Amino acid sequence: MIRNEIRLIRYLYINGRPRYSTSSTNVYSDKIYEEVIDQGYKGLARHIIPENYGSNQVISSNNDEQLSQLIRNFKSPIKFSIGYGSGVFEQSGYKKSKKPQIDMIHMVDSPAEFHEQNLKQYAGHYSGIRMFGPAIILKIQEYGAGVYFNPYILMNTESKKNNIIKYGIISVEKSLIDLSEWSSLYIAGRLQKPVKYLKDADPAIKFINQYNLKNAVSLGLFLIKSTEFSEIELYETIAKISYMGDPRMLIGGENPNKARNIVGKQFENFQKLYNPLLNFFIENNIIIELEPNSSKRNFRKNLDTDKAARIIGSLPLQFRRKLYKHYESTFAKELSQDLKAESVINGQNISINTEIGPFTRAIAMDPLLRKNLVNSIKFTVALPAFIQTIKGIFSAGIIKSINYAWEKRTKYRHG
């Protein structure tokens, strides 16, 4: 169980650049997340969630007041809300003269209650689907990644009129499942990149997002081909994860340089998110920092079979199951001797306090591991992303959908 006395991350400056140091009871240790690793979202329910957690995730934007005013406009109950995208954080490769849409996702305890009240306040935000009532809207929301979007909404604030916003609604439960298990990498992938917390009334989300961020780094280490890598290379690799398998990237519906553009303008925000984790991986001798006093951080992987196997064995549950199934027949003998891996594949999710078994160790030594990780990511992302795209036609309406597709296509051409 997690103790409330866990000491939080301390923010330091070393050689004029941000660094973070963690306490002896480390907020990234697998021991803290044991039940989540074994049982996913169900294991999260057994934790005591500390308050005021995740200071590395609290990031400022250039329009904080404007965003605060926008979120206050919503009278429907919202538990947690994030702002993201080029309308919140500047990205490279976009014309400053063009007013970007402000993207938001609201996480709510009851989507049905939210839509019922939001229809009374902002019926015009919904397409013609509103005529069928909140029950049908909720049914549409449940498909794919579980998010319902209202795009191209004009919303006034006290300081600025006619903000263009897009807001999505998802249940807190769906969000926590994705963050803890990587069921779709839709919310988890978004929170692997800097976001602005607009409303923060559920400490469980920031708590489990630390686990999500840790796994993003772990996966990034496997995806980078070279032994030595730079800090910016790692961030760009992490930023690409949630776009792998996204059909919009395949058909030209998204800027192909999106990950590079995000990191290029938000490098310091990525540092705030991930420097505590990089220090944790250094402390545990998983990576070695080259020239620690240099102005740019560069690293070398220090992954032997044991370390690689332990990382694989702590990846989010649903994602780990997909990866394991790639190897079910290849390493059938090793699997028969590995109760922990068998329980993951069979969906039993039994807490077995054993060392990493022969099946996971065999995966760690496989020269095709990187390829199979990429395939697991694509398999995770593709279907929910495709369904979300199709849902957009119903939730936004034909005209808004065409405008949105055209805007994305324009970004692709510029990219």
Side-chain angles (χ1 to χ4, degrees), residues 25-88:
T25 307
N26 199 288
V27 295
Y28 303 111
S29 170
D30 283 348
K31 290 187 178 298
I32 291 178
Y33 302 104
E34 274 181 339
E35 289 173 318
V36 175
I37 292 168
D38 286 338
Q39 300 183 28
Y41 172 68
K42 289 181 180 178
L44 176 63
R46 294 182 171 86
H47 279 298
I48 299 171
I49 307 298
E51 298 284 346
N52 303 319
Y53 192 82
S55 58
N56 59 311
Q57 301 174 37
V58 179
I59 296 172
S60 297
S61 71
N62 293 328
N63 52 353
D64 278 2
E65 181 54 36
Q66 177 189 358
L67 294 168
S68 296
Q69 291 179 24
L70 285 170
I71 195 67
R72 287 199 297 268
N73 283 341
F74 290 93
K75 304 305 179 187
S76 304
I78 297 170
K79 198 70 174 287
F80 204 98
S81 182
I82 62 171
Y84 62 97
S86 56
V88 177

Side-chain angles (χ1 to χ4, degrees), residues 42 55-56 62 80 100 224 277 281 289 347 396 399 407 414-415:
K42 289 181 180 178
S55 58
N56 59 311
N62 293 328
F80 204 98
I224 294 173
L277 274 158
F281 277 68
E289 184 165 13
I399 301 300
E407 181 181 293
H414 289 161

Side-chain angles (χ1 to χ4, degrees), residues 236-253:
E236 288 181 0
T237 301
I238 291 171
K240 289 176 184 175
I241 290 172
S242 61
Y243 298 118
M244 293 182 183
D246 190 330
R248 295 176 304 171
M249 302 298 287
L250 301 176
I251 63 175

Side-chain angles (χ1 to χ4, degrees), residues 7 60 64 93 120 124 170 177 225 242 251 321 326 362 367 373 392:
R7 287 168 289 170
S60 297
D64 278 2
K120 294 176 182 177
I170 184 172
I177 290 172
K225 293 181 180 180
S242 61
I251 63 175
R321 183 175 296 132
H326 277 292
L373 282 167

Side-chain angles (χ1 to χ4, degrees), residues 59-64 66-67 70 82-91 100-105 164-166 190 194-198 265-266 269:
I59 296 172
S60 297
S61 71
N62 293 328
N63 52 353
D64 278 2
Q66 177 189 358
L67 294 168
L70 285 170
I82 62 171
Y84 62 97
S86 56
V88 177
F89 300 111
E90 189 177 350
Q91 294 179 19
Q101 182 173 242
I102 296 172
D103 296 309
M104 303 177 180
I105 293 179
I164 304 171
I165 72 168
K166 177 182 77 174
R190 169 42 52 200
V195 299
K196 171 66 182 177
Y197 290 155
L198 305 176
K265 283 290 186 179
Q266 299 181 46
N269 289 337

Side-chain angles (χ1 to χ4, degrees), residues 67-257:
L67 294 168
S68 296
Q69 291 179 24
L70 285 170
I71 195 67
R72 287 199 297 268
N73 283 341
F74 290 93
K75 304 305 179 187
S76 304
I78 297 170
K79 198 70 174 287
F80 204 98
S81 182
I82 62 171
Y84 62 97
S86 56
V88 177
F89 300 111
E90 189 177 350
Q91 294 179 19
S92 303
Y94 297 96
K95 294 180 180 179
K96 290 186 177 181
S97 58
K98 183 167 177 60
K99 185 178 181 181
Q101 182 173 242
I102 296 172
D103 296 309
M104 303 177 180
I105 293 179
H106 304 325
M107 303 172 195
V108 302
D109 281 331
S110 171
E113 183 181 355
F114 178 91
H115 289 302
E116 185 176 356
Q117 295 189 27
N118 202 50
L119 278 166
K120 294 176 182 177
Q121 184 183 9
Y122 292 125
H125 290 186
Y126 294 81
S127 67
I129 204 76
R130 67 181 181 273
M131 304 302 295
F132 298 97
I136 296 300
I137 293 172
L138 182 61
K139 192 69 177 175
I140 293 172
Q141 177 177 326
E142 288 173 353
Y143 290 104
V147 190
Y148 186 98
F149 279 105
N150 286 324
Y152 291 105
I153 303 300
L154 291 178
M155 183 173 281
N156 294 340
T157 61
E158 300 164 13
S159 59
K160 190 175 184 180
K161 293 185 177 180
N162 294 332
N163 302 273
I164 304 171
I165 72 168
K166 177 182 77 174
Y167 64 94
I169 301 94
I170 184 172
S171 71
V172 169
E173 182 179 3
K174 278 267 189 181
S175 302
L176 292 173
I177 290 172
D178 194 33
L179 289 166
S180 60
E181 300 186 21
W182 285 6
S183 53
S184 68
L185 275 168
Y186 201 91
I187 296 299
R190 169 42 52 200
L191 266 67
Q192 287 166 4
K193 297 176 274 287
V195 299
K196 171 66 182 177
Y197 290 155
L198 305 176
K199 190 166 186 177
D200 176 6
D202 193 332
I205 291 173
K206 281 199 296 188
F207 168 74
I208 202 59
N209 193 42
Q210 299 286 44
Y211 175 66
N212 175 43
L213 294 172
K214 177 185 178 181
N215 284 299
V217 174
S218 297
L219 191 55
L221 293 180
F222 287 123
L223 295 179
I224 294 173
K225 293 181 180 180
S226 57
T227 303
E228 294 185 1
F229 61 95
S230 67
E231 188 176 8
I232 196 166
E233 184 180 2
L234 176 62
Y235 298 157
E236 288 181 0
T237 301
I238 291 171
K240 289 176 184 175
I241 290 172
S242 61
Y243 298 118
M244 293 182 183
D246 190 330
R248 295 176 304 171
M249 302 298 287
L250 301 176
I251 63 175
E254 190 57 89
N255 189 332
N257 296 319

Side-chain angles (χ1 to χ4, degrees), residues 283-294:
E283 290 165 9
N284 286 273
N285 206 26
I286 296 169
I287 59 175
I288 297 169
E289 184 165 13
L290 308 174
E291 302 180 23
N293 294 323
S294 172

